[in-house]
Structure formats: structure tokens, C-alpha cells
Amino acid sequence: MTEHAHHPAFSFIRSQPIAALNLTVDEYRHDATGARHYHLASEDDQNVFLVGLRTVPEDSTGVAHILEHTVLCGSERFPVRDPFFMMIRRSLNTFMNAFTASDWTAYPFASLNVKDFYNLLDVYLDAVFFSRIDERDFRQEGHRVEFETMDDPATPLTFKGVVFNEMKGAMSSPSSVLWQTLTSELFPTTTYHFNSGGEPVDIPNLTYAQLKAFYQRFYHPSNAVFMTYGNLPVQDLQTQFEEKALSRFTRIDPRSAVPLEQPITAPKIIASTYALDEDDASEKTHVVLGWLLGESTDLDAALEAQVLEGVLLENSASPLLRALETTELGGSPSPILGLEDSQRQMVFVAGVEGAEPDRADAVEALVLDTLRSIAEQGVPAEMIESVLHQIELSQREVTGDGFPYGLQLILHGLPAAIHDGDPIAVLDLEPALARLRTKAENPQFIPDLIRKLLLGNTHRVRVVLKPDTGLSAVKLAAEEARLAQMKAALTDDEKAAIVSQAVALAERQAEVDDISILPTVTRADIPEHIDSPVPDQTLAQPVAQTWYNRSTNGLAYLQVALDLPQLGHDELDLLPIYSGVLTELGAGDRDYLQMAEAVSARTGGFSARSSIRPALDDVEQLSSYFILGGKALVRHADDLVDLFHTVLEDARFDETARIRDLISQIRFRSEQGIAGSGHVHAMNLASSGMSARAALTHLSGGVAGVRRIKAMDDALDGPKALADVAERLARLHAKIKGGLRRYNVIAEQRHFDEIAQPLAKKMHHGAAVQPFKMSPIHKPVREAWLGNLAVNYCAKAHAAVPPLHEDAAALAVLGGFLRNGFLHRMIREQGGAYGGGAGYDAESASFRFYSYRDPRLTETLNDFDRAIDWLLNTQHEGRTVDEAIFGVISSIDKPGSPAGEAKKSFFDQLHGRTPEQLRLMRARVLAVTEADLKRVGERYLKPETASIGVLAGPTREEELVGLGLHIERI
């Protein structure tokens, strides 16, 4: 096959090797439609596909978001009800999803298995370009009205729909409301004025005809960009594109280009509110300034904006971030702080949260005065070099522990491709960085950027977002009044139509499709085993060390695991705070500002956390470590080792004002994270009585931990309390750093000596300590925690067995089996929640049910029990057991980054998980049968012994009390 061999329906445009990424990017164009194809050719066998479309809403009905859901509900060649979720079960994918951004929609997947990749490609192409867009799916996924009792017109009307409830949950987050309020004012005339996800009040205005028209306009190859990554031949990929989709289209003009916003000639001031379901609204106001900048497709302008952001906000020594962190005007820098460069025009935001409305003028003055001061005084050249260093490190690092690495690269280049820019230049930054370095030699480079982009830019909006403790009730009353008015206007025929539509949808949801028309993998496609990284060197003297040879692209990773000593209750309560502040303080003879500068200039940063895990055969037997980790380009190995040990040995706890600021920031971050992870919090609450480790998860990282951090933060206003916390942190540090040490180094083998020499001078083995233990816990939990939530998160937990028990594999498979066969239909499709499922949790040795962004509560908890009935009293197909097994195997075999896989291997070794044990547990999964599922279901899933955990808003308190749940407040 010749170089750049491609399908004749495509024209080859150009090819660009990118040495820094170890790949080549080839660009092609489809002759008939103009569709673009960018292929990132690498030796990676985890292949990635994405098709992106520019989708430009003209209102906040959520049309692009609802269409993203509906497109995946059946297509021309695969006319089954839910091919997307069905393919998740019939696949060994390492990633499958769909995304709606403010101006594009994308459909990506990844797989290590070539057959599986082409199966998924077949389904995705048909879904995107030949979707059925069934009206019943629109009603399920988007919105509908039904009577509270489906077939009884005498009962009240209600709004239902997956996206409707998803966005109720999303828009209960103050940061989401803040961002939407700001962008609606910065962009008064373009698509960014609207909420592409949908505003709950506007979503019911979307009609089926509007949805179909949006699909016909934007879901066309002339409006599409195809992006692929991996080692598959381009010609094979394009053959599939052409034969399965593109050959049936001709070029159109989709009229989808996003125009530039008209400049605002004078800054605007906006005041708005968000719903707060708490009595105390003091110091919960957000104050931000937002600027509209240049076009993101102008790579030089985008890099200049990134450097300016870095100089202003990179770390705590950066002048603007320092001002925002240390001011008394707010509790923490804004959660939407920084540069947004994924839209056609970039946005820069600065401000605070935890303020009061009457401080807005002072916050604005603080930001502008800080910018003026920097513009007048300039910044040291070292600060700019530090930012450029961070850009280089970010570009070089091979990630992949969350999203597949290839998908991260594709998503990085996608906005440029969507807006007719140059995604290859975005990925191949070296030439643009060279130009930038030349510009940065001018001492006025940063001052001039500040004057041009910020101080002299009148396209600026100030938003003051105040809490309103009555707004939730007002919104609920308005929704009820709207529905009552709709019902009052209904004729008898219209009422009958609503009932018949509800019945039709219920019948569709109950349909049993012929899923044999969908492609699938089989057990024969599952590899017999997966190799885990093994250390190239394991040394016991003079200090325990493991060395992994991994393809890290010039980066070195350093970790130390210290045996965690026995901790008292007070020390255990303090451990999450200690982990959060340790790497953000001064150390040795550097204060925290000097430390932040040094860390940013020479490393990729440090992180600290505890790692407490139960044994594979005994949930109450713990192995416990405190972990410090860092990374750097290998050329800075000396600095990495030196700074790493300075933090470890000599962290300073005398900077009490800094500790106060950090605790406040931790508090705000933990509060913001509740709505996005409510199902995790609910599951951790439900299983918190299963073991001591499970209780600790809830108390330290769950909603109980959030409440504890809030209480600690509120108590720190007095200097005596602050000094006391600082002293306790210092004592805890002295206790932890003395533990026995085990070092882990990850780099390319040719760089081992460059790291070993400085490391030998700094490391020491520590001392044996009394090991960390906790008293066993086993108690039922029936609790509901109320917070600022517009939807519910429900969970039930059943005590089960540790991972090495022979029943653990069946329980792991059972989670997917229940989700696939029952819970998805009942919780999401019929119940309207954004998500729901079940799973075995090895850390707590429990089996847990959950729902996510759920409008229901009692009914969902009942559905969890009904799932057990369905399991035990239904005859199931053998195929469905295989599908559940595929899901578990995919999660076990899913690759990580080169460094991430080595870290996992190191932690497995630390916690006594041998490769033989891991292979045994994987083999047991492959051997699970339907009889095993029913057996473990009957043995462990007894509804009468289940523990319950719920997160909800205050309006559901009466219902929760009626369920006999103990009520707590976050």
C-alpha cells in the first residue's frame, strides 16, 4: 500500500509529522460533499473515531442536546429502539459517548479490538446520518406532558423527559447559572447567547417539527468533520465512510457558520440570582468580570491569550490569582475563572465566589487595579518562561487515564476543525511556540496584551449573581401554574390524545427488539489475558524502589508511598485537609509564593493523597499509605527530586493566612462537586455502614465530609482557631512523613541514570510505624441528605463479599446485567432520570443500586427491589449474560496512559494484589453463568436488609420522612 493511500472518493490535502506527539496527521476532503477527514496515524492499537457537526441553536430549548440523545435511538439499518445502549453491551469498547457543546455535537468511540471498532463505526455512521428521529423517542429523551397517573386525566399534568430532568440537575449548579448568565450577555446576538443544553423553562417549547428541521439542516456530511486516531489504514476507514454513509449525499450549504459578535462599546453590569435552598445566604454571591477576546482559530492569538492566562492565573504566585485568593472580598476565586477557548471567540473571566452583592464594585476595582499594576510594572521573564514550560509539558504528556489519549488529542483539535481553522497547527504547536518565544522577548509583551485584550477592551460584562432562598419555590409554583393553565385549556379530545401518547410511549418502551440485526463481539474476541506493566528494577536497599520503563515522551514521574501510621479521630478528620494543602504551602526557606513559582517553572506539579484499601479477602483488613507524587520533563529531574523532597521533609505550616485561604477553596470546590457526583455520594452514603473503610469514604470524601469542611471553614474566623488548625496540621505532617518509604519512578529507561543520581542523594527509608487500623463497622443506614438540589440521587446498598470470594465475579457481572435488562428501561426510559444502574463495589464489599438526576424518589427505590424480582423470576437469554460479561471485561482491560498503568501496577503491589490474583478474578468473570447471577441475587440482595442513601432538595423532605429515613443537611 502506498504512502497516503486513500479511498478515491477523497482527495489527499496534506500530511504533517508531529515529532512531539510521535504521530503524523493527514488531512483529506470528500470530493462530493466537502466533508473533512483528519487522521492521526500512530502505532497505538487503541483506535478512536469521532464525527463532529457544527450545531448552532437559535434558542434555549435544548434542540442540539435533545437531538444528540434522539439520534441514538434507532436508525435506518438498525431500527431498534436503543442501538447506542445496546452496543455498549455488545462491544468491548474502551469509550463510547456523545457530546453537545455550545456550537458542536460529537459522536466518539474507541476500541482496542478491530472487529469491535468497525462494528461500532457501522452503527455510529447510520445513527448520525440516517437516524429515524421517532417522535416517541423525542418525547422520551426530550420532554413531554403526561398526567400524574398516566391514564387518568383527572390528575395533574407533569413535565417529563430525560434531558428535561438532566438540565434541571445541571442548572441547579450555581456555576452553571453563572456561566450561562455571563455568556448570554457577552454574546447578545450569536448562538452563545443561548443555553445549548437547554433551559428547563424553555425545553417544553421545542416541537418535534423543529427537532427534525434541525437534524435535516445540520446532520449532513457537508457540515461534518471526521477525525480518527490509531493504526488502522486510512483507506479502510474511508471505504466505510463512503459505502455506509457519504455516497448517498451531495454537497449543500448548511448555513452553520457562527458569525462574529458585534462589539460592545461600553462595559455592562448585570445582576441576577440563583436558587439557594438554605436559610443562610450570607457570603454566597458570585462576582465576575468577563471579556470577549479574539477568534480561537487564530492560533497565534489563542496562544497569546493562553500565555496571558498563565501569567495571570497559573499558580498562587501569579499576580491576579494571588489577589483573588487572598482578598477578603470573597471566599475563593470563581469556579469559572480563566480562559475559555473552545468557542469561535474566546472569553476571559476573573472574579470571586463567596462574596456579598455590596462588594461588587470593590471586586471589579481589585481585578482592574491588579491588571493596571501588572501593565505598568511588567512581569519577570522567568514568569513567561514558566508558562511556556507548562504548555510544552502539557503537549508532551501522554495522557489516557480518563479519556483515551487519542480522543483527547482529537478533542483538542476539534474546535479548530469545527470553525474552519487548522487543527493540525493546534496539535503541532512547535512553530507557533517559536513565534511566541520571539514576541515574549519584548518586555512589553505581557503589558501590551493586558492593555489590548483586557484594560482597553470595552466588550466587558460584570455579573453579580446573588442567592435567592425563595427562587426554588417560585420556579416550582410557576411550573405548576403553567401546567395547570395548560390542563385547563385542554379539550376532552386533547386529554385523550395525551393519554394515548403516553400509552404509545409505554408500549414502545416495553417492546422487545430483534437485536440480532446489531453487530456484536463474542467471547472468542476477548483476549485470554492482559499483560500489566512489571517493574524493570525492584530494589530493596538502600531504600525500597520500583523503576518502570514506560513510553512517557520525555517525562519522569516520581512517587513515594509512606506507611500510614495509626491516627486518632481528630487526625483522621484532618487527613483530607492535610492532603489538600500540603503541596500548596511554602517549604524549607521558600514561602508559598516562591514555592509555587519554583514548582511551576521546573515541574508539572505535585499531588498528595491517602490510599487506604481493604484486603482482597477481608474488607476490614486495611493496607494504608500516604502518597506524594510529582512529574517533570526529564531535563528537570534534579529540580523534581529536590522540590519533591522539600515538600515532603520541610512543608511549612506557619503560613496561617495561606492555610485559611486553602481551606476556604477546598470548601467551595467540595460544595460545587455535589450536583455533578450526587449518585456517587448517595452510593457512598448507602454503603457507609458496610465497613470501616466505607464509613471513612463517606466521612472524608462524601457529603458528611463536605459538611465537616464547611463547619471547619466557618470556625476559622478567629485567629486562635486558625493557629490551632495549623498546629494540628504540623503535628500530623511530622507523624506521617516519618513512615517507612517506598519510591516509584516511571520514565523511559534511557533516562533512569538522570533520575537515579539526584534521587540517591535525597531519599531515605523512614521508620516502621504502628500501622493504621480501624474498628470494624457493620450497621444499617437509612438516611437522606438535603441540599441545594433540583433533582434526586437515590441509592440502595446490600452487604456482599470481598473481591477474592468466589461470588464476587457474579456480583460484578450482575450490575451490568440488571442495568441492561431492567434498570435502564425503568429508571431512565420510563422514570425520566438521566441515568441509573447497579454495581458491585470492591472497596466496601457491597452491591449498590443508584439513580442520577432523577425526578422520582419512592418509585425509584421500589424499582431497585423490582429489579431483584425480575432477576429471580424471569427466564433470561444466555446472550444477555455475555453482554454483561463484556462490560466487566472492558472495564478490567481498559488501557490507561503509560504512566497511569505503571502507577496502577505499583499500587496493586503495595496493597497486596498479585498478578495471579487479578488473573483469577478476571477468569472467574468469564465463567459466570445465569445460574450464578440468580444464586448471588437470592443470597445477597434481600430488600428487607438493604441500606438506603438519598440526596435531594428540601421540597422532598416530607416524602423522605414518610419512607422512614433519617434526615441530615449537607
Side-chain angles (χ1 to χ4, degrees):
M1 190 175 288
T2 60
E3 191 176 1
H4 309 307
H6 58 278
H7 191 278
F10 286 79
S11 292
F12 170 73
I13 307 297
R14 57 177 170 153
S15 180
Q16 180 64 51
I18 305 178
L21 302 179
N22 296 312
L23 53 78
T24 298
V25 185
D26 299 327
E27 179 183 359
Y28 304 87
R29 189 172 300 273
H30 187 248
D31 296 331
T33 65
R36 290 154 296 155
H37 177 208
Y38 295 93
H39 179 63
L40 285 63
S42 84
E43 296 179 3
D44 193 346
D45 57 2
Q46 184 176 201
N47 286 279
V48 182
F49 167 85
L50 177 146
V51 58
L53 308 122
R54 191 158 55 204
T55 46
V56 188
E58 296 173 357
D59 55 38
S60 291
T61 59
V63 57
H65 186 189
I66 293 170
L67 185 56
E68 173 224 309
H69 282 238
T70 311
V71 154
L72 299 171
C73 291
S75 61
E76 182 179 284
R77 291 178 49 236
F78 304 108
V80 293
R81 187 166 46 86
D82 201 353
F84 176 77
F85 283 99
M86 289 178 179
M87 283 306 296
I88 288 177
R89 312 164 195 171
R90 300 167 68 83
S91 162
L92 295 171
N93 73 85
T94 55
F95 186 89
M96 271 183 76
N97 212 330
F99 306 133
T100 302
S102 55
D103 53 13
W104 53 261
T105 305
Y107 297 86
F109 68 81
S111 182
L112 286 161
N113 182 289
V114 174
K115 173 185 173 182
D116 187 41
F117 179 90
Y118 284 115
N119 285 350
L120 291 169
L121 181 61
D122 205 3
V123 173
Y124 265 62
L125 289 173
D126 208 57
V128 170
F129 295 109
F130 307 110
S131 180
R132 293 189 302 176
I133 316 291
D134 191 295
E135 185 170 7
R136 293 169 297 179
D137 297 325
F138 162 59
R139 290 167 51 74
Q140 171 185 288
E141 296 296 318
H143 71 87
R144 64 188 184 276
V145 288
E146 284 185 7
F147 294 108
E148 206 166 84
T149 301
M150 186 177 70
D151 56 355
D152 184 359
T155 58
L157 279 178
T158 60
F159 285 127
K160 295 186 175 182
V162 172
V163 170
F164 178 75
N165 289 309
E166 177 189 352
M167 294 311 297
K168 270 196 166 184
M171 298 312 294
S172 67
S173 164
S175 58
S176 297
V177 177
L178 178 63
W179 175 253
Q180 200 56 47
T181 304
L182 175 64
T183 53
S184 69
E185 297 295 337
L186 280 174
F187 296 96
T189 67
T190 66
T191 189
Y192 309 118
H193 180 77
F194 305 106
N195 184 344
S196 66
E199 289 288 343
V201 71
D202 295 316
I203 287 172
N205 297 330
L206 180 66
T207 67
Y208 175 57
Q210 289 169 331
L211 184 84
K212 289 210 301 184
F214 197 90
Y215 176 74
Q216 289 158 2
R217 175 178 171 187
F218 293 114
Y219 279 59
H220 189 285
S222 298
N223 192 45
V225 57
F226 294 83
M227 302 185 80
T228 51
Y229 165 92
N231 62 4
L232 292 177
V234 165
Q235 189 166 8
D236 293 355
L237 294 167
Q238 291 175 349
T239 297
Q240 295 299 308
F241 300 167
E242 174 69 7
E243 293 179 357
K244 299 297 172 61
L246 301 185
S247 62
R248 292 174 54 182
F249 292 91
T250 56
R251 191 186 299 255
I252 65 163
D253 178 4
R255 310 180 317 283
S256 63
V258 178
L260 295 176
E261 185 54 76
Q262 297 299 310
I264 297 173
T265 56
K268 293 195 291 186
I269 296 177
I270 302 298
S272 190
T273 59
Y274 71 92
L276 179 69
D277 296 327
E278 298 176 16
D279 295 332
D280 182 9
S282 61
E283 297 196 325
K284 290 185 173 66
T285 292
H286 296 252
V287 182
V288 297
L289 303 182
W291 287 265
L292 185 63
L293 308 184
E295 294 185 59
S296 61
T297 51
D298 181 340
L299 182 56
D300 288 347
L303 275 176
E304 288 174 359
Q306 287 176 31
V307 170
L308 180 59
E309 176 194 37
V311 166
L312 296 177
L313 300 170
E314 179 74 45
N315 58 66
S316 293
S318 304
L320 183 55
L321 184 59
R322 180 183 179 186
L324 297 173
E325 284 186 340
T326 59
T327 181
E328 298 294 320
L329 298 172
S332 180
S334 172
I336 64 169
L337 186 73
L339 181 70
E340 167 53 58
D341 57 1
S342 68
Q343 301 174 160
R344 183 174 179 192
Q345 287 174 277
M346 297 177 287
V347 172
F348 183 81
V349 183
V352 296
E353 63 179 327
E356 291 288 357
D358 60 6
R359 301 176 194 166
D361 288 343
V363 171
E364 180 172 349
L366 172 70
V367 172
L368 296 179
D369 289 347
T370 301
L371 293 173
R372 291 188 190 102
S373 175
I374 304 166
E376 291 168 5
Q377 299 174 19
V379 297
E382 295 80 13
M383 187 173 287
I384 300 174
E385 185 54 43
S386 175
V387 173
L388 293 172
H389 162 253
Q390 290 297 322
I391 292 174
E392 179 190 357
L393 191 148
S394 175
Q395 185 197 25
R396 280 196 169 276
E397 184 169 21
V398 182
T399 55
D401 294 315
F403 283 6
Y405 176 56
L407 179 57
Q408 292 188 6
L409 293 176
I410 284 173
L411 290 173
H412 186 53
L414 180 62
I418 286 289
H419 292 294
D420 303 320
D422 185 357
I424 297 179
V426 171
L427 294 169
D428 185 20
L429 274 185
E430 296 295 342
L433 282 174
R435 295 192 297 271
L436 191 63
R437 287 182 186 278
T438 301
K439 295 177 191 174
E441 292 173 1
N442 179 356
Q444 289 301 304
F445 175 61
I446 293 297
D448 287 347
L449 280 179
I450 291 174
R451 295 185 189 101
K452 173 187 171 185
L453 299 181
L454 302 177
L455 292 175
N457 181 359
T458 57
H459 201 124
R460 184 178 86 223
V461 174
R462 183 178 93 187
V463 173
V464 182
L465 189 71
K466 301 185 295 183
D468 184 339
T469 57
L471 186 56
S472 288
V474 170
K475 285 183 173 181
L476 181 60
E479 183 177 304
E480 290 174 347
R482 179 181 184 180
L483 288 162
Q485 186 176 13
M486 289 170 62
K487 183 179 178 184
L490 293 174
T491 65
D492 288 345
D493 287 346
E494 288 169 332
K495 291 177 182 177
I498 289 174
V499 171
S500 65
Q501 286 176 337
V503 170
L505 177 57
E507 289 173 349
R508 175 163 171 75
Q509 290 168 337
E511 286 175 3
V512 178
D513 288 310
D514 176 14
I515 63 172
S516 65
I517 64 173
L518 288 167
T520 185
V521 293
T522 67
R523 285 177 177 253
D525 297 306
I526 299 174
E528 286 187 20
H529 60 86
I530 296 293
D531 293 325
S532 296
V534 295
D536 273 54
Q537 299 177 24
T538 302
L539 306 175
Q541 297 296 332
V543 180
Q545 305 162 53
T546 56
W547 291 74
Y548 287 89
N549 173 26
R550 304 292 285 168
S551 299
T552 59
N553 203 21
L555 269 73
Y557 298 82
L558 177 61
Q559 294 177 296
V560 65
L562 301 102
D563 284 0
L564 193 66
Q566 185 60 43
L567 300 177
H569 289 297
D570 178 69
E571 293 171 322
L572 201 52
D573 287 349
L574 208 56
L575 187 60
I577 297 294
Y578 169 71
S579 302
V581 305
L582 175 63
T583 61
E584 301 295 328
L585 298 171
D589 57 3
R590 295 182 178 97
D591 63 21
Y592 82 89
L593 298 172
Q594 295 166 325
M595 196 67 188
E597 289 173 339
V599 168
S600 185
R602 289 291 182 267
T603 79
F606 300 119
S607 62
R609 65 181 181 89
S610 57
S611 181
I612 303 171
R613 300 184 69 180
L616 288 177
D617 57 357
D618 183 353
V619 75
E620 297 294 358
Q621 182 68 41
L622 303 177
S623 56
S624 308
Y625 301 91
F626 187 81
I627 312 296
L628 180 67
K631 63 186 176 186
L633 296 167
V634 169
R635 67 174 184 262
H636 296 313
D638 284 16
D639 297 299
L640 171 66
V641 171
D642 179 62
L643 291 166
F644 181 94
H645 285 89
T646 301
V647 171
L648 181 58
E649 304 290 356
D650 299 316
R652 292 172 51 174
F653 296 89
D654 58 340
E655 297 174 298
T656 54
R658 174 62 171 168
I659 291 172
R660 178 71 182 84
D661 290 339
L662 289 171
I663 291 175
S664 180
Q665 291 170 36
I666 292 170
R667 179 235 181 106
F668 282 105
R669 281 199 305 270
S670 65
E671 288 182 302
Q672 290 156 15
I674 292 173
S677 303
H679 62 309
V680 176
H681 287 304
M683 286 190 286
N684 288 340
L685 169 60
S687 60
S688 61
M690 302 293 174
S691 70
R693 180 65 185 94
L696 183 60
T697 299
H698 172 58
L699 292 170
S700 59
V703 283
V706 174
R707 187 170 68 181
R708 177 179 288 129
I709 291 169
K710 288 170 65 174
M712 175 184 285
D713 185 46
D714 290 340
L716 290 182
D717 291 334
K720 188 173 184 302
L722 183 56
D724 176 63
V725 167
E727 185 180 328
R728 287 159 53 204
L729 285 168
R731 289 198 302 267
L732 180 59
H733 178 64
K735 188 172 182 177
I736 286 176
K737 74 175 183 179
L740 201 64
R741 300 182 180 187
R742 296 165 177 83
Y743 285 84
N744 185 37
V745 182
I746 307 162
E748 287 139 322
Q749 190 171 31
R750 67 181 186 274
H751 297 305
F752 279 7
D753 286 348
E754 298 168 65
I755 304 163
Q757 292 176 14
L759 188 59
K761 300 172 186 175
K762 292 286 185 179
M763 63 181 177
H764 68 81
H765 55 71
V769 296
Q770 182 184 354
F772 176 80
K773 292 182 179 178
M774 298 181 72
S775 300
I777 292 176
H778 196 83
K779 63 178 183 179
V781 172
R782 293 178 62 86
E783 287 184 12
W785 287 59
L786 305 181
N788 199 43
L789 301 166
V791 285
N792 309 307
Y793 305 85
C794 306
K796 278 192 174 183
H798 300 260
V801 292
L804 210 51
H805 191 283
E806 61 182 9
D807 287 344
L811 288 163
V813 174
L814 182 57
F817 187 80
L818 292 175
R819 182 192 66 239
N820 297 345
F822 187 86
L823 293 169
H824 177 78
R825 183 174 76 252
M826 301 305 299
I827 305 293
R828 179 184 167 107
E829 293 182 350
Q830 296 182 20
Y834 184 49
Y840 166 70
D841 179 53
E843 296 296 300
S844 60
S846 67
F847 188 89
R848 310 188 298 192
F849 294 84
Y850 72 91
S851 70
Y852 181 66
R853 290 182 178 169
D854 190 349
R856 306 185 308 158
L857 204 159
T858 303
E859 302 95 324
T860 292
L861 294 172
N862 289 337
D863 278 341
F864 295 157
D865 294 343
R866 291 176 59 210
I868 302 168
D869 269 348
W870 171 84
L871 165 70
L872 299 177
N873 299 312
T874 304
Q875 186 66 39
H876 307 286
E877 298 176 36
R879 174 72 214 170
T880 59
V881 179
D882 282 357
E883 290 172 353
I885 288 173
F886 295 158
V888 177
I889 292 296
S890 287
S891 65
I892 293 173
D893 293 353
K894 183 178 180 179
S897 69
E901 290 182 344
K903 290 177 185 178
K904 181 181 181 301
S905 172
F906 175 65
F907 285 117
D908 282 342
Q909 176 188 328
L910 275 181
H911 291 290
R913 284 149 168 77
T914 68
E916 292 75 22
Q917 289 173 324
L918 298 176
R919 282 194 289 270
L920 172 63
M921 291 188 289
R922 185 179 183 274
R924 283 175 173 172
V925 168
L926 290 169
V928 168
T929 65
E930 180 185 333
D932 292 328
L933 299 183
K934 290 190 172 183
R935 177 177 52 78
V936 297
E938 190 168 18
R939 178 176 296 176
Y940 302 107
L941 307 188
K942 300 183 184 302
E944 64 274 12
T945 62
S947 287
I948 298 175
V950 173
L951 270 62
T955 58
R956 307 304 288 264
E957 182 170 2
E958 184 177 344
E959 182 178 356
L960 292 162
V961 170
L963 289 169
L965 302 188
H966 174 71
I967 305 298
E968 296 280 355
R969 284 171 171 76
I970 301 171

